[in-house]
């Protein structure tokens, strides 16, 4: 076979909080995304205590997909999308997160949205939690620091999986569950387990909290898999990982060991999702560092029972590590004298993300070899400044980025034999950037007229990449 399978799932991806807006409509509660201010390129976003004047919160309106989705879905249909990946905004269903009864208006919104997609021949692929925990759970419980949040998540998962059991087949539990292990806790913003570090002083105190919260989140994920399978055995339920492969800078053996140690920070999560138990390298490291992680025998059983069917992952860039003294870099603690540095063999985006299409083929190979499960590339894309003066907007750099990645994906499938379910490029339509809160870090093939301060008509326009991707899908990836 030298072609992609006929039922390859070409699509597009977004997340509820980055597109919907309608932050306080129809019974929706505040989520952790609603208290994040706008930042900028190199300027971090802030988290405020509740919603406060005079701050600007870009997710409150986002691109108003909540009201405009019929128009957007018509464009997705024209593109030829077979699947559309989005998330359910948890606080639309459970405004506080710890209620017994769900918000019917929230459920109805997703019923209507999924119906509209299906009526247009587009299958929804749903993430249960994409950085969207109800704010109350983060404030009152400390997010997944608290094991009670496992139950609240399981109740939420059960509610939506029951309600949408005939409309959604592909589910993922937590978006990029592993990025909390990447020093994200140094930023003054939420981890995806709903934690904001305000009191822990040292790195190791923070790391111990992160591992406990991660274990709790992984138990919640396994519970959701078990619940989902009991509701509909046909469900395909996956995890969602951020795979940024890290290369050793040199052939110095210590560089190889440093890369292996950094990669273990990512594999820790997928090892548990797929193999159902805490890997030995983590147990040993916790012992050495003196972390006592609370994980009961009953919870271990849940991890074993709730393993995933596939691995969804994002791929944007690669990283490089070295122990060579003569090189400058950012020190890390994974291995003695190791530091992350810029890879001189690849270029970078305006936001400093290193562009490495071959890294996608490499990632597909190492992950498939490690687990043997189907893989789903549910995010890949190029955040760039667009020049809007031409019609259609000329975004050849985005086409180049996506084409190079699709080419490498095809090599992984056709030459290396990796099982890939589909490809959903990130930000199929312009959205609010997660990291910086900007609109101007654009990923879309559909332009949205809105700027970083919230001004703009919200009008949609096609970019050159729209016509290009339409052709890619129509030829099942032959013509890239
Ligand atoms: C992933 C997230 O980390 O990267 C998305 O799942 C995010 O939510 C995407 O938008 C791109 O990051 P950013 O910061 O450019 O929006």
């Amino acid at each position: 076979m030298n072609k992609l399978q006929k039922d390859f799932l070409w699509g597009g991806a977004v997340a509820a909080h980055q597109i919907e807006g309608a932050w306080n409509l129809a019974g929706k509660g505040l989520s952790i995304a609603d208290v994040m201010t706008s930042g900028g390129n190199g300027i971090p976003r802030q988290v405020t205590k509740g919603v406060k004047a005079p701050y600007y919160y870009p997710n409150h309106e986002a691109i108003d997909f909540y009201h405009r989705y019929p128009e957007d879905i018509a464009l997705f249909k024209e593109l030829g999308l077979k699947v559309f990946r989005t998330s359910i905004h948890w606080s639309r269903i459970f405004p506080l997160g710890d209620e017994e009864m769900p918000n019917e208006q929230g459920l109805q919104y997703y019923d209507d949205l999924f119906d509209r997609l299906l009526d247009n021949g587009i299958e929804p692929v749903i993430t249960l939690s994409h950085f969207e925990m109800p704010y109350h759970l983060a404030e009152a419980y400390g997010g997944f620091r608290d094991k009670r949040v496992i139950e609240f998540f399981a109740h939420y998962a059960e509610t939506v999986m029951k309600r949408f059991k005939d409309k959604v087949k592909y589910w993922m539990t937590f978006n990029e569950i592993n990025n909390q292990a990447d020093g994200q806790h140094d930023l003054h913003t939420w981890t995806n387990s709903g934690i904001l570090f305000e009191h822990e002083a040292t790195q190791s105190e923070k790391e111990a909290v992160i591992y406990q919260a991660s274990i709790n989140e992984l138990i919640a994920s396994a519970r959701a898999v078990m619940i989902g399978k009991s509701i509909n055995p046909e469900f395909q339920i996956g995890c969602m990982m951020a795979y940024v492969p890290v290369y050793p800078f040199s052939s110095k053996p210590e560089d190889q060991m440093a890369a292996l140690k950094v990669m273990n920070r990512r594999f820790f999560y997928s090892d548990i999702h797929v193999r159902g138990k805490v890997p030995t390298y983590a147990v040993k490291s916790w012992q050495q560092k003196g972390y006592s992680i609370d994980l009961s025998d009953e919870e271990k059983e849940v991890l074993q029972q709730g393993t995933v069917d596939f691995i969804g992952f994002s791929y944007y860039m690669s990283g490089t590590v070295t122990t060579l003294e003569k090189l400058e870099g950012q020190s890390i603690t994974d291995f003695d004298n190791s530091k992350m540095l810029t890879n001189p063999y690849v270029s970078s985006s305006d936001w400093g993300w290193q562009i490495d299409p071959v890294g996608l083929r490499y990632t597909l190979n190492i992950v498939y070899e490690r687990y043997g499960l189907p893989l789903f590339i549910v995010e890949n894309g190029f955040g760039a400044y667009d020049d809007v003066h031409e019609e259609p907007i000329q975004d050849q750099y985005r086409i180049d980025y996506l084409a190079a990645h699709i080419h490498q994906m095809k090599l992984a499938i056709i030459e290396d034999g990796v099982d890939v379910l589909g490809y959903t490029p990130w930000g199929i339509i312009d959205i609010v950037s997660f990291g910086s809160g900007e609109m101007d870090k654009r990923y879309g093939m559909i332009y949205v007229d809105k700027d970083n301060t919230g001004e703009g008509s919200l009008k949609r326009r096609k970019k050159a990449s729209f016509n290009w991707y339409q052709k890619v899908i129509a030829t099942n990836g032959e013509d890239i």
Side-chain angles (χ1 to χ4, degrees):
M1 187 197 81
N2 59 3
K3 291 186 171 174
L4 296 181
Q5 68 266 27
K6 281 211 179 62
D7 57 357
F8 188 79
L9 299 174
W10 293 102
V14 293
H17 72 280
Q18 290 170 274
I19 54 165
E20 286 177 2
W23 67 288
N24 58 359
L25 294 187
K28 180 181 165 297
L30 209 58
S31 85
I32 58 175
D34 295 321
V35 296
M36 291 175 77
T37 66
S38 61
N41 191 344
I43 306 165
R45 303 179 76 173
Q46 291 178 51
V47 173
T48 55
K49 287 261 172 217
V51 172
K52 295 256 184 313
Y55 293 105
Y56 169 56
Y57 298 94
N59 301 75
H60 285 191
E61 181 190 52
I63 61 161
D64 195 30
F65 181 80
Y66 185 88
H67 294 109
R68 293 166 193 253
Y69 71 75
E71 178 195 348
D72 292 338
I73 291 174
L75 287 166
F76 299 159
K77 184 181 183 183
E78 198 181 326
L79 258 176
L81 301 194
K82 299 182 189 317
V83 294
F84 176 61
R85 173 186 177 225
T86 187
S87 56
I88 296 177
H89 206 137
W90 186 349
S91 67
R92 230 179 253 299
I93 310 302
F94 288 100
L96 294 174
D98 55 3
E99 304 92 332
E100 188 58 37
M101 297 302 291
N103 169 33
E104 175 55 31
Q105 292 180 88
L107 290 167
Q108 190 57 52
Y109 165 70
Y110 290 105
D111 255 327
D112 295 343
L113 172 65
F114 298 160
D115 285 345
R116 174 70 71 145
L117 286 164
L118 292 166
D119 288 348
N120 283 278
I122 302 169
E123 187 174 349
V125 171
I126 298 303
T127 317
L128 288 169
S129 180
H130 192 128
F131 313 149
E132 288 146 346
M133 177 182 283
Y135 181 62
H136 171 70
L137 294 186
E139 273 293 286
Y141 297 83
F144 274 104
R145 287 173 193 259
D146 190 320
K147 285 192 184 276
R148 285 175 293 178
V149 175
I150 299 173
E151 283 316 307
F152 302 139
F153 180 77
H155 182 48
Y156 158 65
E158 181 170 12
T159 305
V160 295
M161 284 171 148
K162 267 192 182 148
R163 175 78 168 225
F164 307 122
K165 73 175 179 358
D166 300 320
K167 299 183 184 180
V168 178
K169 172 179 160 195
Y170 289 101
W171 301 87
M172 281 171 283
T173 55
F174 293 99
N175 186 66
E176 293 191 339
I177 189 167
N178 62 301
N179 68 9
Q180 56 197 309
D182 277 344
Q184 195 193 23
H185 40 284
D186 279 342
L187 309 171
H188 296 286
T189 187
W190 306 106
T191 66
N192 65 7
S193 46
I195 290 176
L196 196 60
F197 284 108
E198 289 167 311
H199 308 299
E200 287 78 3
T202 65
Q203 279 304 324
S204 64
E205 277 173 332
K206 289 180 187 172
E207 193 179 57
V209 170
I210 280 291
Y211 274 118
Q212 183 64 65
S214 299
I215 281 292
N216 295 344
E217 206 176 355
L218 286 156
I219 296 164
S221 170
R223 289 284 309 278
V225 174
M226 291 164 73
I227 290 166
K229 290 287 179 181
S230 72
I231 292 169
N232 183 351
E234 300 294 306
F235 279 171
Q236 290 297 300
I237 310 176
C239 55
M240 198 299 197
M241 298 284 304
Y243 282 133
V244 177
V246 173
Y247 305 134
F249 180 78
S250 78
S251 51
K252 188 181 171 208
E254 284 79 1
D255 280 12
Q256 178 60 50
M257 269 317 294
L260 184 143
K261 289 285 185 190
V262 180
M263 287 309 287
N264 279 352
R265 257 199 266 145
R266 295 151 178 55
F267 288 136
F268 166 77
Y269 294 85
S270 39
D271 282 353
I272 297 179
H273 275 306
V274 177
R275 296 172 172 161
K277 67 183 185 67
V278 179
T280 313
Y281 58 78
V283 176
K284 283 284 170 199
S285 144
W286 295 344
Q287 279 168 1
Q288 273 157 17
K289 292 175 174 171
Y291 300 165
S292 110
I293 305 293
D294 179 3
L295 175 64
S296 68
D297 286 346
E298 203 186 343
E299 290 171 336
K300 285 183 184 159
E301 184 61 29
V302 171
L303 292 180
Q304 284 225 317
Q305 297 288 318
T307 55
V308 294
D309 298 314
F310 70 92
I311 299 169
F313 72 94
S314 64
Y315 178 83
Y316 292 93
M317 59 186 147
S318 58
T320 312
V321 67
T322 194
T323 57
L324 289 171
E325 273 172 31
K326 60 179 187 209
L327 295 173
E328 302 268 315
Q330 195 195 344
S331 293
I332 52 169
T333 55
D334 302 78
F335 192 73
D336 286 347
N337 306 318
S338 57
K339 55 206 160 190
M340 302 296 294
L341 76 169
T342 305
N343 184 344
Y345 302 103
V346 301
S347 60
S348 295
S349 78
D350 286 335
W351 279 262
W353 292 23
Q354 296 192 45
I355 304 166
D356 175 15
V358 177
L360 176 58
R361 179 181 185 183
Y362 170 75
T363 301
L364 286 163
N365 272 277
I366 58 167
V367 176
Y368 189 59
E369 208 172 284
R370 191 174 182 105
Y371 302 120
L373 283 185
L375 307 180
F376 200 161
I377 305 166
V378 294
E379 283 186 36
N380 173 233
F382 191 55
Y385 294 108
D386 285 339
D387 177 353
V388 300
H389 293 99
E390 286 188 71
E391 194 61 53
I393 292 162
Q394 293 304 312
D395 59 342
Q396 188 59 40
Y397 37 88
R398 186 167 293 109
I399 297 174
D400 292 344
Y401 177 99
L402 294 169
H405 285 77
I406 292 173
H407 175 64
Q408 293 297 328
M409 172 190 79
K410 284 170 62 183
L411 292 175
I413 298 171
I414 293 165
E415 292 194 8
D416 308 331
V418 178
D419 183 2
V420 182
L421 296 170
Y423 176 80
T424 61
W426 178 251
I428 192 77
I429 181 167
D430 289 346
I431 54 170
V432 176
S433 151
F434 169 67
S436 62
E438 294 163 285
M439 276 303 297
D440 279 351
K441 188 180 186 188
R442 296 180 185 275
Y443 286 88
M445 300 177 195
I446 300 164
Y447 181 83
V448 177
D449 177 30
K450 185 169 179 180
D451 68 18
N452 286 345
T453 65
E455 295 298 316
S457 64
L458 291 168
K459 197 168 160 282
R460 276 56 168 160
R461 280 169 66 186
K462 292 176 197 169
K463 303 183 194 177
S465 54
F466 183 100
N467 302 324
W468 167 81
Y469 192 48
Q470 193 179 42
K471 181 190 68 185
V472 171
I473 299 177
T475 61
N476 198 24
E478 288 292 294
D479 192 353
I480 53 172

